[in-house]
Amino acid sequence: MIIVLRPEATEEQINHIVEKTAKLGLKANISRGTERTVIGVIGPEDVLRVTPLEVFPGVEQVIPVLAPYRLVSREFKKEDSIVKINPKILIGGKRIHVMAGPCSIESEESMMRLAGIVKKAGATILRGGAFKPRTSPYDFQGLGEEGLKFLAVAGKEHDMATVTEVMDSRDLDLICRYTDILQIGARNMQNFTLLKEVGKLKKPVLLKRGISATIKEWLMSAEYILSQGNYDVIFCERGIRTFETATRNTLDINAIAVVKQKSHLPILVDPSHGTGRWGLVASAAKAAVAAGCDALMIEVHDNPEEALSDGPQSLLPRNFEALMKDLKKVAAAVDRQI
Amino acid sequence: MIIVLRPEATEEQINHIVEKTAKLGLKANISRGTERTVIGVIGPEDVLRVTPLEVFPGVEQVIPVLAPYRLVSREFKKEDSIVKINPKILIGGKRIHVMAGPCSIESEESMMRLAGIVKKAGATILRGGAFKPRTSPYDFQGLGEEGLKFLAVAGKEHDMATVTEVMDSRDLDLICRYTDILQIGARNMQNFTLLKEVGKLKKPVLLKRGISATIKEWLMSAEYILSQGNYDVIFCERGIRTFETATRNTLDINAIAVVKQKSHLPILVDPSHGTGRWGLVASAAKAAVAAGCDALMIEVHDNPEEALSDGPQSLLPRNFEALMKDLKKVAAAVDRQI
Amino acid sequence: MIIVLRPEATEEQINHIVEKTAKLGLKANISRGTERTVIGVIGPEDVLRVTPLEVFPGVEQVIPVLAPYRLVSREFKKEDSIVKINPKILIGGKRIHVMAGPCSIESEESMMRLAGIVKKAGATILRGGAFKPRTSPYDFQGLGEEGLKFLAVAGKEHDMATVTEVMDSRDLDLICRYTDILQIGARNMQNFTLLKEVGKLKKPVLLKRGISATIKEWLMSAEYILSQGNYDVIFCERGIRTFETATRNTLDINAIAVVKQKSHLPILVDPSHGTGRWGLVASAAKAAVAAGCDALMIEVHDNPEEALSDGPQSLLPRNFEALMKDLKKVAAAVDRQI
Amino acid sequence: MIIVLRPEATEEQINHIVEKTAKLGLKANISRGTERTVIGVIGPEDVLRVTPLEVFPGVEQVIPVLAPYRLVSREFKKEDSIVKINPKILIGGKRIHVMAGPCSIESEESMMRLAGIVKKAGATILRGGAFKPRTSPYDFQGLGEEGLKFLAVAGKEHDMATVTEVMDSRDLDLICRYTDILQIGARNMQNFTLLKEVGKLKKPVLLKRGISATIKEWLMSAEYILSQGNYDVIFCERGIRTFETATRNTLDINAIAVVKQKSHLPILVDPSHGTGRWGLVASAAKAAVAAGCDALMIEVHDNPEEALSDGPQSLLPRNFEALMKDLKKVAAAVDRQI
C-alpha cells in the first residue's frame, strides 16, 4: 500500500502514520521527494484495508498495490481450474461447452422439445429460468418448482446437465434437488448473503457479472464463494451497461482475456444478454470463442412470438443450428473444440 | 405502443400484427408513410408488454408510450405523498429531515455518543448499519442483532427515529423489532424477492438507487413495493457509477427534479455516498437542498481513523454542525426548513 | 415521427400541432387512446427535426421513427461498399487488410525497419502518426512534415499504402501529398469543420469512433463526409469509455454487427486502443475478425521501452508475427482471408 | 511515480529499471515486501511520463503520484484566480455572473429583444452561437459573421459582455473582433490545436468539459491554454454522458467542489445542457449556486417553438425572470450575490 502525503504534511503526521502501521505489525518505508513524501507500507494489505488511512491527517491519497482477492487469483493457483459438472462435462478444458435453452421455462412440452433441438445441435447443458427477476412486478415471474421439474425431466431425457438461476437463499434446497449448476444473476452479483450460502454448497456456480460491476468487484464476489469452501465457480460475462443504446448491453469482450490473466477460473460468455438482439448474437458468439472463452450460454426459442420473456434475443432453432456449425470452425481455428 | 415496420414489410405481416393485438383486446391504428408504416396500438400497454412484438415478422422496432409504473406515478396521485415515520417526523412536507450517524454500528458507547452529537446539531433520525454489504468477504460484516440493539437504545435515549439496512428477507422480523425505517441498499434495488417482502409490511422503506439503475428502473422497483400494499416509500439518490474516478460516485442532482415530476413519493439525498469524500459532502448537501430534496442522509463519525467502514466519507462532528447551520440557510432560501 | 401528448392535452393544443405540421407539408394522424393521445406525423422527418415539437404545449415526448442519416444507411445502398485504396487494396471485400506500424513516427530508420517487419508478417498498409493528439501539452507532439516524409518513403520502399492522422484542416494539403488514407481521430469525430473539409477531398477517410459517441452519432459524422461528396469512408471501432478501469477502453465488439446492419460502409477494428494493453491485443484482434470486421489496425514497435507514445499497447514484432498467423486461421474459419 | 513489480521479477530486471531512472536523473527507492517489490521514483514525474515503464520486463503496473497538470493546480497558485472580462465583470469573486441568451443567434431583432430581456432580469453577459456544432449536416449551422455582428450590437446596446463558441482556429481573428469571451465547446475540449491557438491570445476562454472527459483531462486541456500564456480560463461544467436517458446529460454537481480543490481557476455551470429539458433547469441552477459555482450560463428564448436549436432546453423569459429571483436568494444563503 502506498500512502501519498500532502505537500504540507508535517513530521508529526508522518510519525503518526508510521506508528499506526507499526501497531498493525507492518513496516513503513518513507521516500521523501521534492514535491511529495510517499510512504510504502510492506506486508499484508488486508490488515490495512480495514484502516481508513485516507482520513489520517496529512494524507492525500492511498493507493493499494495488491489485488484484494486471493483464492480466485492466478497467484494463488497458476494452472487453469477445471470445473467438473459431471464426468462428461468439464468446463475450462479444451472443449467449449454450450448451454442453451429458453429464457423462461414455460411448459413441460416446450422444455422437452427445446431440449431435443439444442442437444441435437451440440449443446450439452440445458438452461431455463424457473424464478425470474423481472423489472416489472406485473411481468411473468416464473413457474417456480413446477418449472424446475420440467427442466430436470427434459435434461434427464436428453442426457444434458442443467442450469437455472437462484434468486433467494430460501430456494437453494429446492433448486439443488433439481439442477446441476446454480446461476447467480447479474442483479445478485453483490447479494453477499446469497454468495455466502452457495459458497457452503458442493454445486458448481455460474457467477454472472453485475451490469455495472468492474472486473475487480466481480472477482471479489467470486472470492466470497471460494472463501466459504466452494471452488467450482465459472464466471459469466453478459454485457455491461454503457451509454450505447443501440444494443441492450455492451458485451465486454476484453473481459475474457483480463479474467484469464487475473484468475485461474473458467469464463463463459452469454451473447444473448450481451447484445439483447437475436440478429447480433452470432457475431458476438463467434467473437467470444475467438477471444478465448471456455463456454457459451445462448437463449433459443422455437416460437419467440409467444415467449414469456426475452423473445427478442432468442435464436430460432434453425439459426442456432447454423451458429453451432460456424462456432465449431472458429473453435478449431483457436485450437479448441465444441 | 408504437410499432415501426421495416420498409419491406408486407400486407400479410401487417395483418398478422393487427390480428394479434385484436386478440389481446386492443385496437391497432395504421399510418402509412412514404418510408415506413407505423402501427399505433391503443389500450393498456401492460397486456402488450408481455408479448415480444419485436420478433414479429416485418417489425423494426417497438416503442412503448406509457410509463411501465402505475402506483408510483404522478398520474396515479397528483399531490405529493408524505411518509409518516412517527407523529413528529413527516417526510415530504415543508420540513427537510436529516438522517445522520455512523456508517456501521460499532459499539454501544459510540452509538450513544454520536446520537447525542447529531441530535444536538439538528438531525431527527439516527442511522447505523448492523448488516453491512461489503465488497470483500474479509471486511467487517456488521454486529448483527447486537448492533440493532445499540441503535434502538441510542435512538430512544435521544428521541430519534432510526433507520438501518436490511440485506436478507430472513432478517426482516428481527430488524422490524428494532427500527423505524427499513433501508434497501443500492446493491439490492433489484432484489425483487426482498422488495416484495418489505411491500407486505407496514414500515416505511428507504429505497436506494442502484449504482447503475436508470430512474425508470428505480421507479419500477418502488412499484414492486407499492404493488404489495406498502405505500410508504422514500427514494434515496446516492450517486451513480460513471467514467469519472475523481469521486466515488457521481451524484445525479438532476434525478431530484425528474423524480418529483414523475412520482408523488418523497426523495432523500445521500451526499456521503454521492461523493465518497468528506471534503465534498457539504457542497453536495447544499446542492441537494437547493435542488428540492425532501431529506438528507449524512454519515458522521467522531473518530474516522478508527471507523470500521466508510471513514473517508464521514464528517467530523464539528463539520457536521457547521454544515447543518449552512443547510438551514439554504433551506430557507428555497422556502423549506431544517 | 410520433408525438405523445400529455393526459391533459386540450383539443386546441392538438389542433395547434396538426396545423404546424400541415404548414410544413406533412400529414398528421391522430390516435386517441384511453390514457394518451398520440399523433403520428407522416412524411420526411428532416423537416420536422428542425422544429422543436417537444416545446409545443401539451406535448409529453417526441419519438423519431426514421434514422437521421441517409447516405450512409443500408436503405440508401443495399450492397456492401468497397473502399478502394489502390488497385491492390480494397477494403470491404473478402480480404481483411491489416494496417500496422508504430503509434508515432520517430525516425526514418525506425519507420523503415518497422515497415519491413510488418510487411513481411502480412500487413499491407503502414500506419504512423506525425501530428499527435496528446492529453498533456508537455508530451511529444509528433514530427510533423518530417514524419510524413519518413512514412511516405517507408511505404514506397515496401510497397505499402499509408495512413496517418489529420488533426487540423490547415494540415490537409500537406498530409494529402504524402499519404493514402486520412485518419480522423476519436477526439475529432465531431470536429464538424474538419469533417466537411475531408468530405470535399477524393481521399479515403478512416473515421474513428469518439470515445463516448453512440453508433448513431458516429454514423452521423460519416454522413457529414458523404454529404460533401466523399463516399470513401471506413469506420474504425477503437473502444469506448465505460466505468471499467482494468482496460484503457472497452472494445465494443457488438458495434461491428450493428454497423454492418445499419450501413453499407466497411468497418475496421483497432484492438490496440480498444484494449490499451499489449497482452490483450491478440484476444481482441481474433474476436474482431470472428465478429466480421473488414480490416484491423495494430500498433507494433520493436523497442517499446523507447517508444515516444503508446508503448504499453504496442506489440513486439515476434508477437505481431504470431498473431498474424493466428488471424489467418480465424479469418478462414469465417470465410474471409488475411 | 510508483512502480509495482511482478512477484517473479528478477534482480536483473530491478537493476534495469533503477539504471533507466538514474539515467533520467531520478532516484529510485526500492521497498521489498513479502508479496511484491515496489520502486518509488523520486523527482519530477514529467521526465518519466514519456518513458513507458509499463513495458519494462518485470513491471506489473505504474502508478503516477503527482497530478500531470501544473499551472492550473492549487499548488501552483493557492488563492482563487479572478478572470476579468471587463472592469465591471470579474468571474471568480463574490458576485456570481449569469450569461444568458439564445442557443443560436437567429436574427438581429430577436438578439436585441432577448438581450433586453435577460439584462433586465439580471444577466450581465450575453450568449449566442454563430458557428454551431450540429450532429447532423442537414441542421442549421449558424449565421456566421452576420450572427457575430448581431451579438455585438445587442451586447453594446444593453451594456453586456458577450460570449460565443469558436469551432475552428481559422475563425479566431473574426470572432475576437466581435466578442469578449471565447467559448470552447464540449466537442472541442481536446482539439489541441485550437487550445494552443486560444492560449496565445489575450481573451478570456470558457472551456466546456467534454461529454465524457474526466476532471483530470479537463484540467489538462486548460493546461494547454495556460502553457501558451493565457491564464484567463473559466471552466464550464455542462453535464456528462452516462447510462441515464431521462435527461440529455447528467450534471456532475460534484465537479464544482472537485475543481475548486484542485485548481485556482473559476468554474461556471450550464444547467441548460446539464439537463437538456427546460423543466429541470431551475432545480439544477439553484443546486449549482448552492454547490459553489462562480457563474451560470442559461439558454433563454422567447419563442422556443421557432428556435433553430435547443428549443427544448430554453427557458421562457418569465421562467428565467422567476429563476433569477430565486437564485439571488440561494446565492445570499451561501454568502454570494447575483
Side-chain angles (χ1 to χ4, degrees):
Chain A
M1 191 160 286
I2 307 295
I3 303 163
V4 181
L5 301 183
R6 295 181 189 282
E8 69 276 12
T10 64
E11 280 307 305
E12 196 183 357
Q13 291 171 340
I14 295 173
N15 289 338
H16 179 53
I17 295 163
V18 172
E19 279 162 24
K20 180 75 190 180
T21 55
K23 258 186 219 159
L24 295 166
L26 304 165
K27 192 168 163 280
N29 197 325
I30 305 176
S31 307
R32 288 170 204 274
T34 50
E35 309 206 28
R36 286 283 193 291
T37 293
V38 164
I39 302 177
V41 182
I42 299 168
E45 289 201 352
D46 295 358
V47 183
L48 271 182
R49 218 184 348 261
V50 203
T51 308
L53 289 164
E54 291 92 336
V55 302
F56 276 59
V59 173
E60 187 170 277
Q61 60 171 323
V62 175
I63 304 166
V65 165
L66 301 181
Y69 40 83
R70 294 267 142 160
L71 306 174
V72 305
S73 74
R74 273 275 174 211
E75 292 175 40
F76 178 75
K77 181 159 177 285
K78 288 246 177 308
E79 330 73 68
D80 285 353
S81 285
I82 288 180
V83 174
K84 184 177 170 179
I85 309 301
N86 64 36
K88 288 186 291 183
I89 303 181
L90 307 175
I91 310 278
K94 189 166 180 176
R95 171 94 188 261
I96 296 172
H97 284 275
V98 177
M99 308 183 180
C103 177
S104 297
I105 301 164
E106 297 172 1
S107 72
E108 188 163 7
E109 306 77 53
S110 71
M111 202 63 229
M112 193 61 83
R113 197 174 61 236
L114 284 166
I117 288 166
V118 300
K119 175 70 189 289
K120 199 178 151 214
T124 53
I125 301 166
L126 186 63
R127 64 148 289 148
F131 299 91
K132 301 299 304 171
R134 304 303 296 272
T135 306
S136 168
Y138 310 121
D139 287 349
F140 176 62
Q141 310 271 320
L143 292 181
E145 183 169 7
E146 201 186 7
L148 294 175
K149 283 181 190 163
F150 300 160
L151 177 67
V153 169
K156 198 164 185 192
E157 174 70 24
H158 290 93
D159 191 25
M160 300 178 80
T162 55
V163 57
T164 203
E165 177 167 352
V166 52
M167 283 175 61
D168 193 304
S169 307
R170 294 171 301 185
D171 300 328
L172 269 174
D173 279 354
L174 179 70
I175 292 176
C176 282
R177 260 181 276 140
Y178 291 104
T179 55
D180 301 305
I181 306 172
L182 300 170
Q183 176 182 318
I184 303 289
R187 293 181 183 82
N188 280 313
M189 192 202 84
Q190 291 194 318
N191 182 334
F192 300 118
T193 53
L194 182 57
L195 297 178
K196 284 183 198 167
E197 298 282 353
V198 300
K200 289 175 194 148
L201 303 175
K202 293 285 163 219
K203 282 263 182 193
V205 176
L206 181 64
L207 180 64
K208 286 203 157 191
R209 181 179 182 181
I211 202 168
S212 68
T214 62
I215 292 173
K216 194 172 166 186
E217 290 169 341
W218 192 18
L219 296 182
M220 288 306 291
S221 285
E223 186 83 7
Y224 257 94
I225 302 172
L226 273 69
S227 71
Q228 302 293 319
N230 187 349
Y231 279 57
D232 287 335
V233 172
I234 304 160
F235 288 108
C236 171
E237 162 63 34
R238 41 81 70 212
I240 56 174
R241 177 161 281 179
T242 68
F243 61 82
E244 180 58 69
T245 53
T247 47
R248 182 172 170 187
N249 295 296
T250 297
L251 184 67
D252 185 3
I253 199 81
N254 292 347
I256 300 170
V258 173
V259 166
K260 285 281 172 199
Q261 285 183 352
K262 294 188 186 295
S263 177
H264 52 88
L265 295 167
I267 180 166
L268 171 153
V269 170
D270 170 354
S272 303
H273 286 86
T275 59
R277 288 168 43 202
W278 70 265
L280 305 172
V281 168
S283 171
K286 286 184 274 186
V289 169
C293 74
D294 298 304
L296 287 169
M297 180 148 77
I298 300 173
E299 291 184 358
V300 178
H301 202 288
D302 52 356
N303 187 6
E305 290 193 9
E306 304 288 337
L308 294 177
S309 58
D310 281 354
Q313 70 191 33
S314 296
L315 288 188
L316 285 169
R318 64 170 181 275
N319 293 330
F320 180 66
E321 286 155 21
L323 173 58
M324 288 297 283
K325 278 179 196 157
D326 288 348
L327 290 176
K328 282 179 217 290
K329 287 188 266 180
V330 178
V334 294
D335 205 24
R336 302 286 286 266
Q337 66 180 71
I338 285 184
Chain B
M1 190 161 288
I2 307 295
I3 303 164
V4 182
L5 300 183
R6 296 182 188 281
E8 70 275 13
T10 63
E11 281 307 304
E12 195 184 0
Q13 290 170 341
I14 294 173
N15 290 339
H16 179 53
I17 295 164
V18 172
E19 279 161 25
K20 178 74 188 179
T21 54
K23 259 186 220 159
L24 294 167
L26 304 166
K27 190 169 163 281
N29 198 326
I30 304 176
S31 309
R32 289 171 204 272
T34 50
E35 309 206 29
R36 287 281 193 293
T37 293
V38 165
I39 304 177
V41 182
I42 298 169
E45 291 202 351
D46 295 357
V47 183
L48 271 181
R49 215 179 356 254
V50 203
T51 308
L53 289 163
E54 292 92 335
V55 302
F56 276 59
V59 173
E60 187 170 278
Q61 60 171 324
V62 176
I63 304 166
V65 165
L66 301 181
Y69 40 83
R70 293 267 142 164
L71 305 175
V72 306
S73 74
R74 274 275 174 213
E75 291 175 38
F76 178 75
K77 181 160 177 284
K78 288 246 176 308
E79 332 72 68
D80 287 352
S81 284
I82 287 180
V83 175
K84 184 175 170 180
I85 310 301
N86 65 36
K88 287 185 295 184
I89 302 182
L90 308 176
I91 310 279
K94 189 166 181 176
R95 170 92 187 260
I96 296 171
H97 284 274
V98 177
M99 307 183 179
C103 178
S104 297
I105 301 165
E106 297 172 2
S107 73
E108 186 164 7
E109 306 76 55
S110 71
M111 202 64 228
M112 194 59 83
R113 199 174 57 236
L114 284 166
I117 288 167
V118 300
K119 175 70 189 288
K120 200 179 151 212
T124 52
I125 300 167
L126 186 62
R127 65 149 286 148
F131 299 91
K132 300 299 303 171
R134 303 304 296 272
T135 306
S136 168
Y138 310 122
D139 287 350
F140 176 63
Q141 309 271 322
L143 292 181
E145 182 168 7
E146 201 188 6
L148 294 175
K149 284 181 189 164
F150 300 160
L151 177 67
V153 168
K156 196 163 186 193
E157 174 69 24
H158 290 94
D159 191 23
M160 299 178 80
T162 55
V163 57
T164 203
E165 177 166 353
V166 52
M167 285 174 62
D168 193 303
S169 306
R170 296 171 299 186
D171 301 327
L172 269 175
D173 278 354
L174 180 69
I175 291 176
C176 282
R177 260 181 276 139
Y178 291 104
T179 55
D180 301 305
I181 306 172
L182 300 170
Q183 177 182 317
I184 303 288
R187 292 181 184 83
N188 280 313
M189 192 202 84
Q190 291 193 319
N191 182 335
F192 300 119
T193 53
L194 183 56
L195 296 178
K196 284 183 197 166
E197 297 284 352
V198 301
K200 291 174 194 149
L201 303 176
K202 294 283 165 220
K203 282 263 181 190
V205 177
L206 181 64
L207 179 64
K208 286 203 157 191
R209 181 179 183 182
I211 203 168
S212 68
T214 62
I215 292 173
K216 195 173 166 185
E217 290 169 341
W218 192 18
L219 296 182
M220 288 305 291
S221 285
E223 186 83 8
Y224 259 94
I225 302 172
L226 272 69
S227 71
Q228 301 295 318
N230 186 350
Y231 280 56
D232 286 334
V233 172
I234 305 161
F235 288 108
C236 171
E237 162 63 36
R238 43 77 72 211
I240 57 174
R241 177 161 282 179
T242 68
F243 61 82
E244 179 59 66
T245 54
T247 47
R248 182 173 171 186
N249 294 296
T250 297
L251 184 68
D252 184 3
I253 200 83
N254 291 348
I256 300 170
V258 174
V259 167
K260 285 281 170 199
Q261 285 182 351
K262 294 188 185 295
S263 177
H264 52 87
L265 295 168
I267 180 167
L268 170 153
V269 170
D270 171 353
S272 303
H273 286 86
T275 60
R277 290 168 42 201
W278 69 265
L280 305 172
V281 169
S283 171
K286 285 184 275 185
V289 168
C293 74
D294 298 305
L296 288 168
M297 180 149 77
I298 299 173
E299 289 184 0
V300 178
H301 202 290
D302 52 355
N303 187 7
E305 290 192 11
E306 304 290 338
L308 294 177
S309 59
D310 280 354
Q313 71 192 33
S314 295
L315 288 187
L316 283 170
R318 65 168 179 277
N319 294 329
F320 180 66
E321 286 155 20
L323 173 58
M324 288 296 283
K325 279 180 195 155
D326 288 348
L327 290 176
K328 282 179 216 291
K329 287 188 266 180
V330 178
V334 293
D335 205 24
R336 302 286 286 266
Q337 66 181 71
I338 285 184
Chain C
M1 190 161 286
I2 307 296
I3 303 164
V4 182
L5 301 182
R6 296 181 188 282
E8 69 275 13
T10 64
E11 280 307 305
E12 196 185 358
Q13 291 171 340
I14 294 174
N15 290 338
H16 179 53
I17 296 164
V18 172
E19 280 161 24
K20 178 77 189 178
T21 54
K23 261 186 220 159
L24 295 166
L26 303 166
K27 188 165 165 282
N29 197 326
I30 304 175
S31 309
R32 291 170 202 273
T34 51
E35 311 206 26
R36 287 283 191 293
T37 293
V38 165
I39 304 177
V41 183
I42 298 169
E45 291 201 350
D46 295 357
V47 183
L48 270 182
R49 218 188 344 265
V50 204
T51 308
L53 289 163
E54 291 92 334
V55 303
F56 277 58
V59 173
E60 187 170 277
Q61 59 171 324
V62 176
I63 304 166
V65 166
L66 301 180
Y69 40 83
R70 293 267 142 162
L71 306 174
V72 305
S73 74
R74 274 275 174 210
E75 291 175 40
F76 177 76
K77 181 159 177 285
K78 288 245 176 309
E79 331 72 69
D80 286 352
S81 284
I82 288 181
V83 175
K84 185 177 170 179
I85 309 301
N86 64 36
K88 289 185 293 184
I89 303 182
L90 307 175
I91 310 279
K94 189 166 180 177
R95 171 91 187 262
I96 296 172
H97 284 276
V98 177
M99 307 183 180
C103 178
S104 297
I105 301 165
E106 296 172 2
S107 73
E108 187 164 8
E109 307 77 54
S110 70
M111 202 64 228
M112 193 61 82
R113 199 173 58 236
L114 284 166
I117 288 167
V118 301
K119 176 71 189 290
K120 201 179 150 212
T124 53
I125 301 167
L126 186 62
R127 63 149 288 147
F131 298 91
K132 301 299 304 172
R134 303 303 297 273
T135 307
S136 168
Y138 310 122
D139 287 351
F140 176 63
Q141 310 270 322
L143 291 181
E145 182 170 7
E146 200 186 9
L148 294 175
K149 285 180 189 165
F150 300 161
L151 177 67
V153 169
K156 197 163 186 194
E157 173 70 22
H158 290 94
D159 190 24
M160 300 178 79
T162 55
V163 57
T164 202
E165 177 167 354
V166 52
M167 283 174 63
D168 194 303
S169 307
R170 295 171 300 186
D171 301 328
L172 269 175
D173 279 353
L174 180 69
I175 292 175
C176 282
R177 260 181 276 140
Y178 292 103
T179 54
D180 301 305
I181 306 172
L182 299 169
Q183 176 182 317
I184 303 289
R187 292 180 184 84
N188 281 313
M189 192 202 84
Q190 292 194 318
N191 182 334
F192 300 118
T193 53
L194 183 56
L195 296 178
K196 284 182 197 166
E197 298 283 353
V198 300
K200 291 173 194 149
L201 304 175
K202 293 283 164 219
K203 283 263 181 193
V205 177
L206 181 64
L207 180 63
K208 286 202 156 192
R209 181 179 183 182
I211 203 170
S212 68
T214 61
I215 292 173
K216 194 173 167 185
E217 290 168 340
W218 191 19
L219 297 181
M220 288 306 291
S221 285
E223 186 83 8
Y224 259 93
I225 301 171
L226 272 71
S227 71
Q228 301 295 319
N230 187 349
Y231 279 57
D232 287 334
V233 172
I234 304 160
F235 288 108
C236 170
E237 163 63 34
R238 41 78 71 213
I240 56 174
R241 178 160 281 179
T242 67
F243 60 81
E244 179 58 67
T245 54
T247 47
R248 182 172 170 187
N249 294 296
T250 297
L251 184 68
D252 184 3
I253 199 82
N254 292 347
I256 301 170
V258 173
V259 166
K260 285 281 171 201
Q261 286 183 351
K262 294 188 185 294
S263 177
H264 53 87
L265 295 167
I267 179 166
L268 170 153
V269 170
D270 171 353
S272 303
H273 285 87
T275 59
R277 288 168 42 201
W278 69 264
L280 306 172
V281 168
S283 169
K286 286 184 275 185
V289 169
C293 73
D294 298 304
L296 287 169
M297 179 149 77
I298 300 174
E299 290 184 359
V300 179
H301 202 289
D302 54 353
N303 188 5
E305 290 193 9
E306 303 289 336
L308 293 177
S309 58
D310 281 354
Q313 71 191 33
S314 295
L315 288 188
L316 284 169
R318 66 168 180 278
N319 293 330
F320 179 67
E321 287 154 21
L323 173 59
M324 288 296 284
K325 279 181 196 156
D326 288 348
L327 290 176
K328 282 179 216 290
K329 287 188 267 180
V330 178
V334 293
D335 205 23
R336 302 286 285 265
Q337 66 180 72
I338 285 185
Chain D
M1 191 161 285
I2 306 295
I3 303 163
V4 182
L5 301 183
R6 295 183 189 282
E8 69 276 12
T10 64
E11 281 307 305
E12 197 183 356
Q13 291 171 338
I14 294 173
N15 289 338
H16 179 53
I17 295 164
V18 172
E19 279 161 25
K20 179 75 189 177
T21 54
K23 260 186 220 160
L24 294 167
L26 303 166
K27 191 168 164 280
N29 197 325
I30 305 175
S31 309
R32 290 171 203 274
T34 49
E35 310 205 27
R36 286 282 192 295
T37 293
V38 164
I39 303 177
V41 182
I42 298 168
E45 290 200 351
D46 295 357
V47 184
L48 271 182
R49 215 177 357 253
V50 203
T51 309
L53 289 163
E54 291 92 336
V55 302
F56 277 58
V59 173
E60 187 170 279
Q61 60 171 324
V62 176
I63 304 165
V65 165
L66 301 181
Y69 40 82
R70 292 268 143 160
L71 306 174
V72 306
S73 74
R74 274 273 175 212
E75 290 175 40
F76 177 76
K77 180 158 178 285
K78 288 245 176 309
E79 329 73 66
D80 286 353
S81 284
I82 288 180
V83 174
K84 184 176 169 178
I85 309 301
N86 65 35
K88 287 186 293 183
I89 302 182
L90 307 175
I91 309 279
K94 188 165 181 177
R95 172 91 187 261
I96 296 172
H97 284 275
V98 177
M99 307 183 180
C103 178
S104 298
I105 301 164
E106 297 172 2
S107 73
E108 186 164 7
E109 308 74 55
S110 72
M111 201 64 228
M112 193 61 82
R113 197 174 60 236
L114 284 166
I117 288 167
V118 299
K119 175 71 190 288
K120 197 177 153 215
T124 53
I125 301 166
L126 186 63
R127 65 148 288 148
F131 299 92
K132 299 301 303 172
R134 303 304 297 271
T135 306
S136 168
Y138 310 121
D139 286 350
F140 176 62
Q141 310 271 322
L143 292 181
E145 182 169 6
E146 200 187 8
L148 294 176
K149 283 181 192 165
F150 300 159
L151 178 67
V153 168
K156 197 164 185 191
E157 172 71 24
H158 289 94
D159 190 24
M160 299 178 80
T162 55
V163 57
T164 202
E165 177 167 353
V166 51
M167 283 174 63
D168 193 303
S169 306
R170 296 172 300 185
D171 301 327
L172 269 176
D173 279 353
L174 179 70
I175 292 176
C176 282
R177 259 181 276 139
Y178 292 104
T179 54
D180 302 305
I181 306 172
L182 299 170
Q183 177 181 319
I184 303 289
R187 293 180 184 83
N188 280 312
M189 192 202 84
Q190 292 194 319
N191 182 334
F192 300 119
T193 53
L194 183 56
L195 297 178
K196 284 183 198 166
E197 298 283 353
V198 300
K200 289 174 194 148
L201 303 175
K202 293 284 164 221
K203 281 263 183 193
V205 177
L206 181 64
L207 179 64
K208 286 202 158 192
R209 182 179 182 181
I211 202 169
S212 69
T214 61
I215 292 174
K216 196 173 165 183
E217 290 169 339
W218 191 19
L219 297 181
M220 286 307 290
S221 285
E223 187 82 9
Y224 259 93
I225 301 172
L226 273 69
S227 71
Q228 301 295 320
N230 187 349
Y231 279 58
D232 286 334
V233 173
I234 304 161
F235 288 108
C236 171
E237 161 64 34
R238 43 77 73 213
I240 57 174
R241 177 161 283 179
T242 68
F243 60 82
E244 179 59 68
T245 53
T247 47
R248 181 172 172 188
N249 294 296
T250 296
L251 183 69
D252 184 3
I253 199 83
N254 291 347
I256 301 171
V258 173
V259 167
K260 285 281 171 201
Q261 285 182 352
K262 294 189 186 294
S263 177
H264 51 88
L265 295 168
I267 181 167
L268 171 153
V269 170
D270 171 353
S272 303
H273 286 86
T275 60
R277 288 168 44 201
W278 70 265
L280 305 172
V281 169
S283 170
K286 286 184 273 186
V289 169
C293 73
D294 298 304
L296 287 169
M297 181 149 77
I298 299 173
E299 291 184 358
V300 178
H301 203 290
D302 52 355
N303 187 6
E305 289 192 10
E306 304 289 338
L308 294 177
S309 59
D310 281 355
Q313 70 192 32
S314 296
L315 288 187
L316 284 169
R318 65 168 180 276
N319 293 330
F320 179 66
E321 286 155 22
L323 173 58
M324 288 296 284
K325 278 180 197 156
D326 287 349
L327 289 176
K328 282 180 216 289
K329 286 188 266 181
V330 177
V334 293
D335 205 24
R336 302 286 285 264
Q337 65 181 73
I338 285 185

